[in-house]
């Protein structure tokens, strides 16, 4: 029994968390004949502690999954951690204050593996603390052997399907992380920069150009003006001399030169930006690399060789000024492409990179996305927009240390690609030998291992297989396609898109039926970030208010909507939980002598109340079926505070204290049924508190080991007529209460009540209960009024 003021949520949470784990309450049942509901759980990126956004979105998916479990599904809800690749590398570099590129690959991998071993249990604990109901035994890490095998298999399969290409071409490159990056990893950012006007010489005369990137001068190959720009027509066919570097480039006409931008003259360096690369191809201009893979100036840069990009820019501007080539300097803000992981400006660098060729499938991709059930619907636009804006095949090779290796070697003599055998996976080509003695093409005996690693999304996009393949063969078939992919909207273009595309390419079908997309968590409408200093730590919130209260807040936002962290909503959750515990205590006190049997005759009023409950169950169930958990929560919350606490408990108090026989039993039966239903419907939202109450009283009658594996309340056909009478009763009681307040009388003041004829007719069979709750000694027909005695 719960004693008053004995509500220690920390103790309660810990007790049930341990109970759930020990009793394997959330275990996927391998042998069950029940229908399966399978979830492609997002594996959180191991990059520190759980943040408030994850606390919100994982809670939201957990509401849905707990509902499904109570609806009788055999729920497959695995858990994984995404701990391969760049995010983890950067975390390890930061924590250990090292640079991976400055140590050997083996040394660094060991550092990462040791780090993960130590950090992971604590990292995962946050998810357990917030009450996520995964089957923790179905666990994968995206760097473990199992995941490496599947990821490498994916590469081999796509290679055999003709989708993998190794290209030696300019590709997007992050000079900070020193790796090729994919289009999806690039984002726009406004950064402060400098626009400089620089003098070029044409036949000894000045030609002024404006640029933000004078450090690319050593790679200049041409200058362009627009064919409609009369100012420069006379320059056609002439040559311009680039200052500081002994370079002469042709002056050419092209539509892509914008007369409005700067002076209307654009200079082209081979890998400056997209347009530069288009020009290079269109006019067959020479290829010059000013920036190397180490992010430094190449030997083309003369005295600036070896400098970092920004440093070189500064020096070159200084020298232009000194030698009189600089006309104007203007500070500006401009939009550039940056690497989303580190915020560094993206460069185009010519290098050998592996691509997954898929640009030819854009039309198909739109169709595949259209086959999914999107919750909420509008999220599909984000997917469509991403597909329509695709310009690059997927660059999947990263020049990093810690990740899944390519299962690939090259013949030293002829460059032939040698693939690993499927049965040998996973392989590490640096340590393992290729499966052939001689090159099948040239007979060569020496091989070079691929030292790049697969991009982290290449592995996490296999998440359905990473989880399912932990099961036996016959289960694997039943689990795929999965029922649900829950995730946040910021990774639609990363994770959702890539998983979908890979599933189609590998298996010819979509990986899931439904996708449920959650929003971002903001603070006062703003995105939280370290630099703004507006970060809320979920761990601190849980420490102060408890996990259930935090989940209560997460349930207040509609699916897919960005939502604010609101402490008042967490406090509301805390209040709700306390009230639920107190109301339960009252109920159990009055059920002590109850024999658990249904009364022969149910009091009419109790019937009315149960009908109101029936409607709430129906509405909640319907909302949950559409993944609208916030609507469901709101409905139960209102019902609990209003109908249950404010009215029903008050109405039956007298009957339960003083009543006898069936009249009392009827109230006891109704209390039992309604409180149990409220608990069950709240169980997905506040799993700890509801378990506490269930175990304290209901379990001995209900027999289910945990409320979370008990069945969801059932509803019957609605009886609108009955529900209307309940509404009327509430209306009258509320009016009496108002009258008492107005007359400054206590709520238990005796009175004579007069109610309208129509009301009287409807309520004639519940007058005794109405009298009890309003302390009316007499109830008369007529114009509404309360007379105090
Ligand atoms: Zn970077
Ligand atoms: Zn060869």
């Amino acid at each position: 029994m719960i004693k008053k003021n004995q509500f220690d949520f920390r103790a309660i949470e810990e007790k049930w968390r341990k109970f759930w784990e020990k009793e394997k309450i959330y275990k996927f049942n391998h042998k069950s004949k029940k229908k399966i509901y399978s979830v492609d759980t997002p594996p959180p990126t191991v990059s520190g502690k759980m943040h408030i956004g994850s606390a919100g979105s994982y809670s939201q998916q957990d509401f849905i999954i707990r509902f499904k479990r109570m609806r009788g599904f055999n729920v497959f809800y695995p858990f994984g951690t995404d701990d391969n690749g760049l995010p983890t590398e950067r975390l390890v570099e930061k924590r250990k204050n090292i640079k991976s590129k400055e140590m050997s690959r083996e040394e660094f991998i060991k550092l990462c593996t040791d780090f993960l071993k130590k950090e992971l249990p604590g990292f995962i604990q946050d998810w357990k603390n917030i009450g996520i109901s995964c089957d923790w035994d179905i666990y994968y890490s995206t760097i473990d052997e199992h995941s490496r095998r599947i990821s490498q298999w994916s590469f081999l399969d796509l290679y055999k399907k003709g989708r993998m290409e190794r290209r030696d071409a300019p590709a997007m490159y992050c000079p900070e992380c020193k790796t090729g990056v994919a289009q999806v990893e690039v984002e726009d950012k406004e950064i402060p920069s400098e626009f400089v006007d620089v003098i070029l010489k044409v036949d000894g005369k000045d030609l002024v150009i404006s640029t933000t990137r004078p450090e690319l001068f050593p790679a200049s190959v041409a200058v362009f003006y627009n064919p409609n720009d009369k100012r420069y027509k006379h320059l056609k066919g002439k040559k311009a001399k680039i200052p500081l570097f002994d370079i002469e480039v042709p002056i050419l006409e092209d539509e892509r030169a914008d007369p409005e931008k700067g002076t209307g003259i654009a200079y082209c360096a081979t890998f400056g930006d997209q347009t530069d690369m288009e020009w290079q191809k269109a006019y067959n201009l020479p290829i010059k690399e000013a920036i190397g893979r180490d992010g430094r100036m190449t030997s083309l840069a003369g005295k600036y060789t070896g400098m970092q990009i920004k440093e070189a820019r500064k020096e070159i501007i200084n020298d232009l000024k000194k030698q009189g080539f600089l006309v104007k300097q203007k500070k500006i803000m401009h939009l550039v492409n940056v690497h989303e992981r580190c915020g560094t400006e993206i460069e185009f660098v010519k290098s050998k990179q592996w691509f997954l060729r898929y640009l030819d499938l854009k039309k198909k991709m739109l169709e595949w996305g259209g086959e999914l059930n999107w919750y909420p619907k509008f999220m599909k636009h984000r997917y469509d927009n991403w597909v329509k804006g695709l310009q690059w095949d997927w660059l999947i090779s990263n020049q990093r240390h810690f990740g899944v290796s390519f299962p690939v070697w090259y013949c030293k003599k002829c460059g032939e690609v040698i693939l690993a055998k499927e049965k040998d996976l996973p392989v590490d080509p640096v340590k393992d030998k290729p499966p052939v003695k001689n090159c099948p093409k040239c007979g060569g005996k020496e091989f070079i291992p691929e030292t790049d690693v697969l991009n982290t999304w290449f592995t996490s996009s296999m998440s359905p297989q990473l989880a399912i393949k932990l099961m036996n063969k016959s289960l694997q078939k039943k689990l795929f396609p999965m029922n649900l992919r829950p995730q946040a909207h910021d990774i639609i273009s990363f994770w959702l898109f890539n998983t979908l595309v890979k599933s189609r390419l590998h298996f010819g079908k979509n990986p899931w039926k439904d996708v449920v997309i959650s929003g971002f968590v903001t603070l006062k409408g703003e995105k939280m970030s370290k630099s703004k200093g507006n970060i809320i730590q979920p761990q601190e919130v849980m420490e102060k208010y408890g996990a259930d209260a935090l989940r209560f807040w997460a349930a207040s936002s509609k699916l897919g909507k960005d939502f604010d962290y609101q402490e008042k909503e967490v406090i509301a959750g805390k209040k709700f939980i306390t009230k639920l515990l107190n109301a339960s205590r009252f109920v159990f006190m009055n059920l002590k002598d109850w024999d658990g049997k249904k009364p022969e005759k149910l009091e009419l009023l109790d019937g009315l109340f149960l009908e109101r409950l029936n409607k709430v169950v129906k509405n909640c169930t319907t909302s949950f079926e559409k993944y609208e958990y916030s609507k469901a929560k709101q409905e139960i919350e209102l019902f609990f505070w209003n109908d249950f606490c404010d009215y029903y408990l008050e109405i039956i108090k007298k009957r339960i204290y003083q009543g006898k026989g069936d009249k009392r039993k009827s109230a006891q039966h109704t209390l039992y049924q309604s409180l149990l239903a409220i608990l069950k419907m709240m169980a997905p939202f506040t799993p700890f508190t509801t378990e506490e109450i269930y175990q304290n009283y209901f379990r001995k009658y209900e027999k289910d080991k945990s409320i979370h594996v008990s069945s969801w309340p059932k509803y019957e056909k609605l009886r609108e007529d009955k529900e209307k009478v309940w509404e009327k009763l509430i209306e009258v009681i509320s009016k009496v209460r108002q009258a008492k307040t107005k007359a400054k009388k206590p709520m238990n003041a005796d009175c004579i009540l007069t109610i309208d004829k129509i009301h009287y007719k409807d309520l004639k069979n519940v007058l005794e209960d109405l009298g009890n709750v309003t302390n009316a000694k007499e109830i008369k027909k007529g114009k509404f009024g309360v007379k105090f005695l």
Side-chain angles (χ1 to χ4, degrees), residues 660-693:
K660 286 195 176 60
D662 257 11
K663 278 196 178 173
R664 183 153 186 273
K665 254 191 198 175
S666 174
Q668 287 176 317
H669 166 80
T670 309
L671 281 175
Y672 184 98
Q673 296 302 332
S674 52
L675 180 61
L676 181 60
I678 291 168
L679 285 185
K680 287 189 172 195
M681 288 188 285
M682 277 310 288
F685 303 110
T686 53
F688 297 98
T689 319
T690 49
E691 184 77 308
E692 169 79 8
I693 301 170

Short mmCIF file of all heavy atoms in Angstrom, two decimals, residues 660-693:
data_model
loop_
_atom_site.label_atom_id
_atom_site.label_comp_id
_atom_site.label_asym_id
_atom_site.label_seq_id
_atom_site.Cartn_x
_atom_site.Cartn_y
_atom_site.Cartn_z
N LYS A 660 -24.49 0.49 1.85
CA LYS A 660 -24.39 -0.92 2.19
C LYS A 660 -24.74 -1.76 0.97
O LYS A 660 -25.30 -1.29 0.01
CB LYS A 660 -25.37 -1.24 3.33
CG LYS A 660 -24.90 -0.73 4.68
CD LYS A 660 -25.67 -1.37 5.80
CE LYS A 660 -25.11 -0.91 7.14
NZ LYS A 660 -25.19 0.56 7.35
N GLY A 661 -24.37 -3.03 1.04
CA GLY A 661 -24.80 -4.01 0.04
C GLY A 661 -24.38 -3.62 -1.38
O GLY A 661 -23.28 -3.11 -1.60
N ASP A 662 -25.30 -3.87 -2.31
CA ASP A 662 -24.99 -3.66 -3.73
C ASP A 662 -24.67 -2.21 -4.07
O ASP A 662 -23.88 -1.96 -4.96
CB ASP A 662 -26.17 -4.14 -4.57
CG ASP A 662 -25.84 -5.49 -5.21
OD1 ASP A 662 -24.82 -6.09 -4.80
OD2 ASP A 662 -26.58 -5.93 -6.11
N LYS A 663 -25.29 -1.30 -3.34
CA LYS A 663 -25.03 0.12 -3.64
C LYS A 663 -23.55 0.44 -3.45
O LYS A 663 -22.95 1.14 -4.24
CB LYS A 663 -25.87 1.00 -2.72
CG LYS A 663 -27.28 1.17 -3.22
CD LYS A 663 -27.96 2.31 -2.54
CE LYS A 663 -29.36 2.44 -3.13
NZ LYS A 663 -30.17 3.41 -2.43
N ARG A 664 -23.00 -0.09 -2.40
CA ARG A 664 -21.59 0.14 -2.10
C ARG A 664 -20.72 -0.67 -3.06
O ARG A 664 -19.75 -0.18 -3.62
CB ARG A 664 -21.33 -0.25 -0.66
CG ARG A 664 -19.93 0.00 -0.20
CD ARG A 664 -19.87 0.24 1.30
NE ARG A 664 -18.53 0.64 1.67
CZ ARG A 664 -17.57 -0.25 1.96
NH1 ARG A 664 -17.83 -1.53 1.98
NH2 ARG A 664 -16.36 0.18 2.23
N LYS A 665 -21.12 -1.92 -3.22
CA LYS A 665 -20.37 -2.81 -4.13
C LYS A 665 -20.28 -2.24 -5.55
O LYS A 665 -19.26 -2.36 -6.22
CB LYS A 665 -21.09 -4.16 -4.20
CG LYS A 665 -20.38 -5.26 -3.43
CD LYS A 665 -21.01 -6.58 -3.79
CE LYS A 665 -20.67 -7.63 -2.77
NZ LYS A 665 -21.38 -8.89 -3.04
N SER A 666 -21.38 -1.63 -5.97
CA SER A 666 -21.43 -1.06 -7.32
C SER A 666 -20.36 0.03 -7.46
O SER A 666 -19.66 0.10 -8.48
CB SER A 666 -22.82 -0.49 -7.58
OG SER A 666 -22.84 0.18 -8.81
N ALA A 667 -20.24 0.83 -6.43
CA ALA A 667 -19.21 1.88 -6.46
C ALA A 667 -17.81 1.27 -6.43
O ALA A 667 -16.91 1.71 -7.15
CB ALA A 667 -19.39 2.83 -5.30
N GLN A 668 -17.66 0.23 -5.61
CA GLN A 668 -16.34 -0.41 -5.51
C GLN A 668 -15.94 -1.02 -6.87
O GLN A 668 -14.81 -0.87 -7.32
CB GLN A 668 -16.37 -1.50 -4.44
CG GLN A 668 -16.42 -0.93 -3.04
CD GLN A 668 -16.55 -2.00 -1.97
OE1 GLN A 668 -17.33 -2.94 -2.12
NE2 GLN A 668 -15.77 -1.87 -0.90
N HIS A 669 -16.88 -1.71 -7.46
CA HIS A 669 -16.62 -2.30 -8.78
C HIS A 669 -16.23 -1.22 -9.79
O HIS A 669 -15.27 -1.37 -10.55
CB HIS A 669 -17.88 -3.04 -9.24
CG HIS A 669 -17.88 -3.40 -10.69
ND1 HIS A 669 -17.21 -4.50 -11.19
CD2 HIS A 669 -18.46 -2.80 -11.77
CE1 HIS A 669 -17.38 -4.55 -12.50
NE2 HIS A 669 -18.13 -3.55 -12.88
N THR A 670 -16.96 -0.12 -9.79
CA THR A 670 -16.70 0.97 -10.75
C THR A 670 -15.34 1.62 -10.48
O THR A 670 -14.60 1.93 -11.42
CB THR A 670 -17.82 2.03 -10.68
OG1 THR A 670 -19.08 1.34 -10.78
CG2 THR A 670 -17.71 3.03 -11.81
N LEU A 671 -15.03 1.77 -9.22
CA LEU A 671 -13.71 2.35 -8.89
C LEU A 671 -12.59 1.46 -9.41
O LEU A 671 -11.62 1.92 -10.01
CB LEU A 671 -13.56 2.49 -7.37
CG LEU A 671 -14.25 3.67 -6.71
CD1 LEU A 671 -14.09 3.59 -5.19
CD2 LEU A 671 -13.68 4.99 -7.23
N TYR A 672 -12.75 0.18 -9.17
CA TYR A 672 -11.73 -0.78 -9.61
C TYR A 672 -11.55 -0.71 -11.12
O TYR A 672 -10.43 -0.54 -11.63
CB TYR A 672 -12.14 -2.19 -9.19
CG TYR A 672 -11.12 -3.26 -9.51
CD1 TYR A 672 -10.22 -3.70 -8.53
CD2 TYR A 672 -11.05 -3.84 -10.78
CE1 TYR A 672 -9.29 -4.69 -8.82
CE2 TYR A 672 -10.12 -4.82 -11.08
CZ TYR A 672 -9.24 -5.25 -10.10
OH TYR A 672 -8.31 -6.22 -10.38
N GLN A 673 -12.67 -0.81 -11.83
CA GLN A 673 -12.61 -0.82 -13.29
C GLN A 673 -12.03 0.48 -13.86
O GLN A 673 -11.19 0.45 -14.75
CB GLN A 673 -14.02 -1.02 -13.90
CG GLN A 673 -14.67 -2.35 -13.57
CD GLN A 673 -13.85 -3.53 -14.03
OE1 GLN A 673 -13.08 -3.43 -14.98
NE2 GLN A 673 -13.97 -4.66 -13.34
N SER A 674 -12.52 1.60 -13.32
CA SER A 674 -12.10 2.86 -13.93
C SER A 674 -10.65 3.19 -13.61
O SER A 674 -9.90 3.64 -14.48
CB SER A 674 -13.02 4.01 -13.51
OG SER A 674 -13.14 4.05 -12.11
N LEU A 675 -10.24 2.94 -12.37
CA LEU A 675 -8.84 3.25 -12.04
C LEU A 675 -7.89 2.35 -12.84
O LEU A 675 -6.87 2.81 -13.36
CB LEU A 675 -8.58 3.08 -10.54
CG LEU A 675 -7.14 3.39 -10.12
CD1 LEU A 675 -6.76 4.83 -10.43
CD2 LEU A 675 -6.90 3.11 -8.63
N LEU A 676 -8.27 1.09 -12.98
CA LEU A 676 -7.42 0.18 -13.75
C LEU A 676 -7.30 0.66 -15.20
O LEU A 676 -6.22 0.67 -15.78
CB LEU A 676 -7.99 -1.24 -13.69
CG LEU A 676 -7.18 -2.32 -14.43
CD1 LEU A 676 -5.76 -2.43 -13.87
CD2 LEU A 676 -7.88 -3.68 -14.35
N ALA A 677 -8.42 1.10 -15.76
CA ALA A 677 -8.39 1.58 -17.16
C ALA A 677 -7.54 2.83 -17.29
O ALA A 677 -6.76 2.97 -18.24
CB ALA A 677 -9.81 1.84 -17.64
N ILE A 678 -7.68 3.73 -16.31
CA ILE A 678 -6.86 4.96 -16.35
C ILE A 678 -5.38 4.59 -16.30
O ILE A 678 -4.56 5.10 -17.07
CB ILE A 678 -7.23 5.89 -15.18
CG1 ILE A 678 -8.62 6.46 -15.39
CG2 ILE A 678 -6.21 7.02 -15.04
CD1 ILE A 678 -9.20 7.17 -14.16
N LEU A 679 -5.04 3.70 -15.40
CA LEU A 679 -3.64 3.28 -15.26
C LEU A 679 -3.12 2.69 -16.56
O LEU A 679 -2.02 3.00 -17.01
CB LEU A 679 -3.49 2.23 -14.16
CG LEU A 679 -3.57 2.68 -12.72
CD1 LEU A 679 -3.29 1.50 -11.81
CD2 LEU A 679 -2.57 3.80 -12.44
N LYS A 680 -3.92 1.81 -17.14
CA LYS A 680 -3.46 1.15 -18.37
C LYS A 680 -3.27 2.15 -19.50
O LYS A 680 -2.30 2.07 -20.25
CB LYS A 680 -4.46 0.08 -18.78
CG LYS A 680 -4.40 -1.15 -17.88
CD LYS A 680 -5.25 -2.26 -18.44
CE LYS A 680 -5.03 -3.53 -17.63
NZ LYS A 680 -5.55 -4.71 -18.34
N MET A 681 -4.19 3.10 -19.59
CA MET A 681 -4.05 4.08 -20.67
C MET A 681 -2.90 5.05 -20.42
O MET A 681 -2.34 5.60 -21.35
CB MET A 681 -5.37 4.84 -20.88
CG MET A 681 -6.44 3.98 -21.52
SD MET A 681 -7.90 4.92 -21.98
CE MET A 681 -8.65 5.16 -20.40
N MET A 682 -2.56 5.26 -19.16
CA MET A 682 -1.43 6.12 -18.84
C MET A 682 -0.10 5.36 -18.85
O MET A 682 0.97 5.98 -18.85
CB MET A 682 -1.61 6.78 -17.47
CG MET A 682 -2.46 8.04 -17.48
SD MET A 682 -2.01 9.28 -18.73
CE MET A 682 -0.46 9.91 -18.07
N ALA A 683 -0.19 4.04 -18.84
CA ALA A 683 1.04 3.22 -18.74
C ALA A 683 2.08 3.55 -19.82
O ALA A 683 3.28 3.62 -19.52
CB ALA A 683 0.69 1.75 -18.74
N PRO A 684 1.68 3.78 -21.09
CA PRO A 684 2.70 4.12 -22.09
C PRO A 684 3.41 5.44 -21.76
O PRO A 684 4.57 5.59 -22.09
CB PRO A 684 1.88 4.28 -23.39
CG PRO A 684 0.65 3.48 -23.18
CD PRO A 684 0.34 3.60 -21.71
N PHE A 685 2.71 6.36 -21.10
CA PHE A 685 3.29 7.68 -20.85
C PHE A 685 4.12 7.71 -19.56
O PHE A 685 5.21 8.23 -19.53
CB PHE A 685 2.18 8.74 -20.77
CG PHE A 685 1.34 8.80 -22.01
CD1 PHE A 685 0.02 8.38 -22.01
CD2 PHE A 685 1.89 9.26 -23.20
CE1 PHE A 685 -0.74 8.42 -23.16
CE2 PHE A 685 1.13 9.31 -24.36
CZ PHE A 685 -0.20 8.88 -24.34
N THR A 686 3.53 7.18 -18.49
CA THR A 686 4.21 7.22 -17.19
C THR A 686 4.39 5.78 -16.69
O THR A 686 3.67 5.34 -15.79
CB THR A 686 3.38 8.05 -16.19
OG1 THR A 686 2.04 7.53 -16.17
CG2 THR A 686 3.31 9.51 -16.58
N PRO A 687 5.33 5.06 -17.29
CA PRO A 687 5.43 3.62 -17.02
C PRO A 687 5.82 3.27 -15.58
O PRO A 687 5.41 2.22 -15.09
CB PRO A 687 6.50 3.14 -18.00
CG PRO A 687 7.28 4.36 -18.36
CD PRO A 687 6.31 5.50 -18.28
N PHE A 688 6.58 4.13 -14.93
CA PHE A 688 7.07 3.78 -13.59
C PHE A 688 5.94 3.88 -12.55
O PHE A 688 5.69 2.94 -11.80
CB PHE A 688 8.23 4.70 -13.18
CG PHE A 688 9.45 4.55 -14.06
CD1 PHE A 688 9.70 5.43 -15.10
CD2 PHE A 688 10.34 3.50 -13.85
CE1 PHE A 688 10.81 5.30 -15.91
CE2 PHE A 688 11.47 3.36 -14.66
CZ PHE A 688 11.70 4.25 -15.70
N THR A 689 5.27 5.03 -12.55
CA THR A 689 4.21 5.26 -11.57
C THR A 689 3.07 4.26 -11.75
O THR A 689 2.54 3.72 -10.78
CB THR A 689 3.65 6.68 -11.73
OG1 THR A 689 4.74 7.57 -11.95
CG2 THR A 689 2.89 7.10 -10.51
N THR A 690 2.69 4.03 -12.98
CA THR A 690 1.55 3.13 -13.22
C THR A 690 1.92 1.70 -12.80
O THR A 690 1.07 0.97 -12.29
CB THR A 690 1.13 3.16 -14.70
OG1 THR A 690 2.28 2.99 -15.52
CG2 THR A 690 0.44 4.47 -15.05
N GLU A 691 3.18 1.34 -13.01
CA GLU A 691 3.62 0.01 -12.57
C GLU A 691 3.55 -0.09 -11.05
O GLU A 691 3.09 -1.09 -10.50
CB GLU A 691 5.04 -0.27 -13.07
CG GLU A 691 5.58 -1.66 -12.75
CD GLU A 691 5.02 -2.76 -13.67
OE1 GLU A 691 3.80 -2.87 -13.82
OE2 GLU A 691 5.84 -3.51 -14.26
N GLU A 692 4.00 0.95 -10.38
CA GLU A 692 3.99 0.99 -8.92
C GLU A 692 2.57 0.75 -8.39
O GLU A 692 2.35 -0.10 -7.52
CB GLU A 692 4.53 2.35 -8.45
CG GLU A 692 4.36 2.66 -6.98
CD GLU A 692 5.40 1.97 -6.09
OE1 GLU A 692 6.34 1.37 -6.64
OE2 GLU A 692 5.24 2.04 -4.85
N ILE A 693 1.62 1.47 -8.96
CA ILE A 693 0.24 1.35 -8.48
C ILE A 693 -0.34 -0.03 -8.83
O ILE A 693 -0.99 -0.68 -8.01
CB ILE A 693 -0.64 2.48 -9.07
CG1 ILE A 693 -0.07 3.84 -8.66
CG2 ILE A 693 -2.08 2.34 -8.59
CD1 ILE A 693 -0.70 5.03 -9.37
#
